[in-house]
Amino acid sequence: DAMVIQNPRYQVTQFGKPVTLSCSQTLNHNVMYWYQQKSSQAPKLLFHYYDKDFNNEADTPDNFQSRRPNTSFCFLDIRSPGLGDAAMYLCATSRDGKALETQYFGPGTRLLVL
Amino acid sequence: AQSVTQPDIHITVSEGASLELRCNYSYGATPYLFWYVQSPGQGLQLLLKYFSGDTLVQGIKGFEAEFKRSQSSFNLRKPSVHWSDAAEYFCAVGKSVLTGGGNKLTFGTGTQLKVEL
C-alpha cells in the first residue's frame, strides 16, 4: 500500500561527504518534490520535477542537486553536507501541477551530519 | 507573495474537549488551502483542503475547517479530541507554478498539539 517511499529513514554522514537520499512512488504521478524541514520549522521546498523538467527554487543552495531517472524514482544529492544541512528531507508527489492537487508525502529521511 | 500564519505554536487540550487551530493566509487571488498533520518522525498527511464551493470542509479523522474570506482565515476544528490526535498541524496555501509545472505549497510554521488524558 505504500505510495511514497523514502530510503533510508535515517542517514548519518560526515561533514563534506556526499550523500544521496532516494524517493520512489507507486502513484505514477507526474510531479515529484523535495522539501527540507528543520526542527520545529515548516517544510521548505527545495525543487521539483514536472515529468523530466527540473525546477529549482531560487534560494536553494547549489550544494543540493536532484535526479529523476524515471517516473517512479527521484534522488536528492547533497554534494558537500554541512552541519546546517541536518534536517528531515521530505519527498512528495502530485498528479499534476494544478494548485488544488493534493501532494502526497513520504515518511521522510532524517539526515544527521557529524 | 503568499504567506501563512499559524499564531499558536503550542496548544494543549484535554481528551474529549473541542479543538480549534488558527490559520491566516495572505494571497492575492482565490486561495487553495490545505491542512496537513505530521505525527512524530513521520511525513505529512492531508486532513482536508478547500478550493471552492461550500466554505465548511469536512476532512478525515473527524476534522473540519471553515474558510472565511473576510477574515483571511481557514481554521481547523474538531468537536472532541482523541489522544491519538497529538501531532503537529500545518496549514498551507497552494498555487500553480506556471513555469515548469508543479504546484507550490507555502506552509505555516505549524501548531504542536498536546492532548492531556
Side-chain angles (χ1 to χ4, degrees), chain B residues 2 6 10-11 14 16 30 34-35 37-39 43 49-50 56 59 65 67 80-81 83 95-96 100 106:
Chain B
Q2 61 206 58
Q6 293 180 249
H10 296 99
I11 282 186
S14 299
T30 301
F34 303 79
W35 274 101
V37 60
Q38 186 177 33
S39 297
K49 64 182 179 183
Y50 169 82
L56 186 62
F67 170 62
S80 177
V81 170
W83 64 265
K95 73 171 187 177
S96 294
T106 299

Side-chain angles (χ1 to χ4, degrees), chain A residues 9 31 33 35 37 40-43 45 48 50 55 57 88 90 94 96-103 105-108, chain B residues 32 34 36 38 41-44 46 49 51 88 90 94-97 99-105 107-110:
Chain A
R9 294 294 307 277
V31 194
Y33 309 80
Y35 289 86
Q37 186 182 22
S40 301
Q41 295 184 20
L45 182 65
H48 74 277
Y50 190 104
N55 299 278
E57 290 299 296
M88 174 80 92
L90 297 168
S94 67
D96 61 34
K98 295 187 179 67
L100 55 82
E101 282 292 330
T102 298
Q103 291 189 19
F105 285 80
Chain B
Y32 298 90
F34 303 79
Y36 281 87
Q38 186 177 33
Q42 300 297 315
L44 282 76
L46 180 72
K49 64 182 179 183
F51 55 95
E88 188 149 25
F90 290 94
K95 73 171 187 177
S96 294
V97 176
T99 302
N103 63 33
K104 181 165 183 174
L105 285 178
F107 288 90
T109 50

Side-chain angles (χ1 to χ4, degrees), chain A residues 28-58:
Chain A
N28 203 34
H29 281 176
N30 288 320
V31 194
M32 296 187 76
Y33 309 80
W34 280 104
Y35 289 86
Q36 179 192 63
Q37 186 182 22
K38 295 188 176 180
S39 182
S40 301
Q41 295 184 20
K44 178 179 176 296
L45 182 65
L46 295 173
F47 27 58
H48 74 277
Y49 271 94
Y50 190 104
D51 196 12
K52 298 178 182 178
D53 295 329
F54 176 71
N55 299 278
N56 204 26
E57 290 299 296

